[in-house]
């Protein structure tokens, strides 16, 4: 296995570094403070081809592989986790679900708009009382003539307010039965579909997280994604890839915190010498570097399997679990290396510290990743 960056990955890295220095870094603390979702940044990312990374050119996307997608998410997250999370949710949840499971008509209708960044996508699986136990959802779609009527709520949905179209998973069968979930693409503005409460979060504050409310929302059957009853299976396929993107998000945050720590430790003087001279600091940096390298290899290994079309549920869970825990550990040590300054908003590490925690929760908590891994190991 050779995971050396391709020429395309190197070009993407240079492009994102340049873009982020001009368009993200100068404003990100302001957005973080006010919880503003900076929609104009996503329009510009669309112009760079980064809002439809995995979507073929025939639908206006960049037609790149998961290797390049990892580079996109991690390089953005190295600067700002919030923008990285939103790019990940838009690309690998909403847009990818439509690409993989929508009818040719719906693909033509939505993918060019999503891939160009003209439209923002949302993906709604979670509800207030069904997070890890997602299949036990209460949001219901009832067949009514030639269409469907949707009732219920979805919670914690990235771009729940600013999203133009949401992939929504609804129960269409009896509770706790097999094949009882169906996916629909529902446009914001459809009567009966509104955005509810916006969450006030610890981190990832510029990535909008909002409730979706459905009150007798009527949609045509043409908005259905795939077969009736296949929605949960579709979601598991989408989440296999989604875990790689959250792992890439975690990797980017860890790298950002590590690089800031290296720089600071060489500059900060105590006892008439840089703190990087102290073995206690060196060991922290060595632990960070080792864990980042291991996380990166797990991520590329999962992506390699996905690209080859092999089953990679266990490998993507390995990557998501390990990279997200590493992200929290590295960001925590980064704050320690910065000492009191790390505890202020004048330096970047407190934001990495807050943002990193989402990675152990979103798209399946660390505990759920261990459950997925254990189930796989015990089956074989
Ligand atoms: C910022 C943010 C953005 C999000 N974006 C989206 C989105 O765009 N779309 C979407 O659908 N969802 C989204 N989510 C929801 C996210 O996926 C859920 O929060 C996550 O799956 C966990 O669900 P929960 O919060 O209900 O926790 P719970 O399921 O209530 O878990 C609580 C605790 O119990 C543990 N636990 C639960 N079940 C088990 C078990 N069987 N064994 C061991 N431990 C268990 C969990 O690991 C956790 O520690 C987002 C969440 C956040 C915070």
């Amino acid at each position: 296995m050779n995971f050396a960056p391709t020429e395309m990955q190197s070009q993407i890295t240079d492009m994102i570094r340049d873009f982020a220095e001009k368009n993200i870094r100068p404003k990100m603390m302001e957005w973080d403070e006010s919880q503003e979702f900076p929609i104009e940044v996503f329009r510009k990312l669309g112009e760079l081809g980064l809002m439809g990374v995995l979507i073929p050119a025939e639908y206006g996307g960049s037609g790149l592989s998961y290797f390049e997608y990892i580079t996109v998410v991690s390089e953005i997250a190295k600067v700002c986790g919030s923008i990285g999370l939103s790019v990940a949710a838009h690309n690998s949840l909403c847009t990818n679900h439509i690409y993989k499971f929508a009818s040719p008509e719906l693909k033509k209708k939505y993918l060019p708009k999503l891939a160009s960044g003209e439209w923002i996508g949302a993906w709604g699986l979670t509800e207030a009382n069904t997070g890890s136990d997602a299949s036990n959802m209460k949001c219901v779609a009832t067949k009514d003539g030639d269409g469907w009527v949707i009732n219920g709520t979805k919670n914690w949905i990235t771009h729940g307010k600013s999203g133009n179209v949401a992939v929504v998973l609804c129960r269409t069968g009896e509770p706790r039965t097999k094949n009882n979930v169906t996916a629909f693409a529902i446009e914001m503005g459809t009567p009966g579909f509104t955005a509810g409460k916006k969450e006030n979060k610890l981190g990832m504050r510029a990535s909008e997280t909002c409730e979706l409310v459905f009150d007798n929302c009527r949609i045509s059957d043409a908005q259905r994604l795939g077969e009736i009853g296949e929605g949960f299976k579709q979601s598991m396929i989408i989440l296999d890839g989604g875990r790689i993107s959250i792992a890439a998000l975690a990797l980017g945050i860890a790298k950002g915190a590590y690089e800031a720590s290296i720089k600071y430790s060489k500059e900060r003087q105590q006892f008439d010498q840089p703190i990087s001279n102290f073995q206690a600091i060196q060991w922290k940096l060595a632990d960070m570097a080792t864990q980042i390298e291991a996380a990166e290899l797990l991520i590329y290994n999962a992506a390699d399997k996905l690209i080859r079309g092999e089953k990679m549920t266990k490998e993507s869970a390995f990557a998501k679990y390990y990279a997200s825990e590493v992200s929290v550990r590295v960001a925590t040590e980064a704050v320690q290396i910065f000492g009191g300054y790390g505890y202020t908003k004048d330096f970047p590490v407190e934001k990495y510290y807050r943002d990193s925690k989402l990675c152990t929760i979103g798209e399946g908590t660390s505990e759920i990743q261990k459950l997925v891994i254990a189930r796989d190991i015990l089956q074989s």
Side-chain angles (χ1 to χ4, degrees):
M1 284 183 285
N2 175 13
F3 297 139
T6 60
E7 206 183 315
M8 177 59 84
Q9 282 174 283
S10 303
Q11 282 173 13
I12 291 171
T13 302
D14 291 344
M15 180 174 80
I16 291 177
R17 284 184 188 169
D18 181 57
F19 179 86
E21 287 314 314
K22 291 180 187 144
N23 298 281
I24 300 177
R25 201 184 294 282
K27 287 278 196 85
M28 66 185 194
M29 289 312 289
E30 214 176 296
W31 300 327
D32 184 76
E33 200 68 41
S34 62
Q35 290 212 100
E36 179 189 339
F37 175 64
I39 204 154
E40 73 284 358
V41 168
F42 297 92
R43 306 265 191 258
K44 287 183 190 162
L45 287 169
E47 285 165 20
L48 297 179
L50 304 182
M51 295 297 271
V53 180
L54 303 165
I55 304 304
E58 62 173 305
Y59 295 115
S62 299
L64 297 172
S65 82
Y66 256 79
F67 284 168
E68 287 84 22
Y69 181 49
I70 291 167
T71 306
V72 169
V73 175
S74 62
E75 282 300 326
I76 294 175
K78 220 161 135 182
V79 177
C80 178
S82 291
I83 307 295
L85 172 62
S86 279
V87 165
H90 172 94
N91 273 280
S92 52
L93 295 182
C94 177
T95 309
N96 203 32
H97 199 134
I98 292 174
Y99 171 58
K100 278 199 178 315
F101 299 110
S103 63
E105 292 73 29
L106 285 190
K107 284 186 195 181
K108 270 190 224 141
K109 187 174 172 188
Y110 294 130
L111 291 177
K113 285 182 174 149
L114 289 165
S116 66
E118 183 191 342
W119 275 26
I120 302 291
W123 189 81
L125 174 68
T126 308
E127 298 180 4
N129 295 315
T130 57
S132 304
D133 186 13
S135 67
N136 192 25
M137 63 185 63
K138 304 284 180 290
C139 185
V140 198
T142 313
K143 195 90 183 70
D144 184 50
D146 58 358
W148 297 84
V149 176
I150 320 283
N151 277 295
T153 62
K154 291 285 165 184
N155 295 67
W156 303 101
I157 309 308
T158 303
H159 317 139
K161 188 160 180 253
S162 301
N164 302 86
V165 62
V167 170
V168 183
L169 284 304
C170 301
R171 190 161 58 68
T172 48
E174 290 304 309
R176 295 285 189 203
T177 57
K178 276 198 167 175
N179 304 327
N180 65 352
V181 173
T182 304
F184 300 90
I186 310 182
E187 288 180 31
M188 186 54 84
T190 306
F193 174 21
T194 49
K197 180 184 167 229
K198 179 176 166 176
E199 303 300 336
N200 183 3
K201 307 194 298 292
L202 167 74
M204 301 292 193
R205 288 170 58 82
S207 176
E208 177 189 275
T209 315
C210 207
E211 185 184 29
L212 309 181
V213 181
F214 299 95
D215 181 9
N216 284 320
C217 173
R218 187 175 295 272
I219 55 168
S220 99
D221 190 49
Q223 297 302 110
R224 175 161 50 81
L225 303 176
E227 298 302 317
I228 296 172
E230 294 289 307
F232 197 69
K233 272 189 215 152
Q234 292 173 5
S235 301
M236 293 303 105
I237 293 168
I238 292 301
L239 285 174
D240 275 349
R243 284 186 191 120
I244 296 179
S245 71
I246 298 297
L249 177 73
L251 178 71
I253 293 171
K255 282 187 174 177
Y258 165 71
E259 287 176 12
S261 302
I262 294 266
K263 184 167 178 285
Y264 185 81
S265 67
K266 287 181 180 168
E267 289 166 3
R268 176 70 176 165
Q269 300 267 330
Q270 289 296 283
F271 301 95
D272 303 319
Q273 55 189 307
I275 60 168
S276 60
N277 280 1
F278 303 133
Q279 194 181 50
I281 301 295
Q282 291 171 3
W283 283 21
K284 286 187 197 303
L285 294 171
D287 278 341
M288 287 176 171
T290 309
Q291 293 175 70
I292 287 171
E293 184 93 8
E296 192 154 23
L297 288 171
L298 283 176
I299 296 169
Y300 278 103
N301 183 48
D304 185 49
K305 279 189 167 280
L306 184 149
I307 291 166
R308 288 167 192 272
E310 293 173 21
K311 190 170 179 320
M312 36 62 82
T313 301
K314 180 181 70 181
E315 286 74 13
S316 70
F318 280 162
K320 203 272 182 187
Y321 168 46
Y322 188 73
S324 59
E325 295 290 336
V326 162
S327 182
V328 173
R329 282 201 293 272
V330 168
T332 305
E333 287 295 56
V335 173
Q336 195 67 19
I337 289 172
F338 274 70
Y341 294 99
Y343 205 63
T344 71
K345 289 185 188 284
D346 296 336
F347 290 85
V349 288
E350 66 83 35
K351 183 170 181 297
Y352 290 125
Y353 180 73
R354 288 183 288 113
D355 289 347
S356 66
K357 191 59 196 154
L358 177 273
C359 303
T360 69
I361 297 169
E363 293 193 38
T365 62
S366 289
E367 291 78 9
I368 294 301
Q369 303 311 312
K370 286 196 263 191
L371 193 144
V372 169
I373 294 164
R375 195 181 290 150
D376 195 291
I377 293 167
L378 293 169
Q379 259 172 11
S380 51

